[in-house]
Amino acid sequence: MADRDGRVGRAEFVTGTLNVTGAPSSYVREGLLPAVEAVFDVVDGDGSGHLDMAEYRTVFGPKLYPADLNRAFHEPDSDGADE
């Protein structure tokens, strides 16, 4: 996707999340997109415009095994550097 900087930016989060829905584009654009953007804004606790692993874990951690969480975090981040 974007920059692989070790953080998941808002656009990376939104695109990565919506790519797995398989929903019609009008549904995504009008329904899911605003919801996913709102989730990102709430989870981005420090207002940096990026999610670090701790912030990402607050949303997805309880639902995923640690290895799956790690993989899911790094998929939308295209540079893979840990910061």
Side-chain angles (χ1 to χ4, degrees), residues 1-81:
M1 279 189 196
D3 57 13
R4 297 193 54 82
D5 66 355
R7 303 174 302 165
V8 177
R10 189 175 201 249
E12 293 169 325
F13 178 80
V14 170
T15 301
T17 302
L18 295 180
N19 279 346
V20 299
T21 66
S25 62
S26 63
Y27 175 73
V28 169
R29 186 175 52 255
E30 296 167 16
L32 289 179
L33 179 61
V36 172
E37 289 174 334
V39 167
F40 179 90
D41 292 341
V42 168
V43 176
D44 182 19
D46 61 6
S48 68
H50 293 88
L51 302 182
D52 59 26
M53 179 58 93
E55 292 169 325
Y56 193 82
R57 188 179 295 116
T58 65
V59 174
F60 299 108
K63 308 264 189 237
L64 298 173
Y65 290 108
D68 293 335
L69 178 69
N70 188 51
R71 185 176 57 251
F73 176 75
H74 287 96
E75 279 180 13
D77 177 38
S78 47
D79 79 355

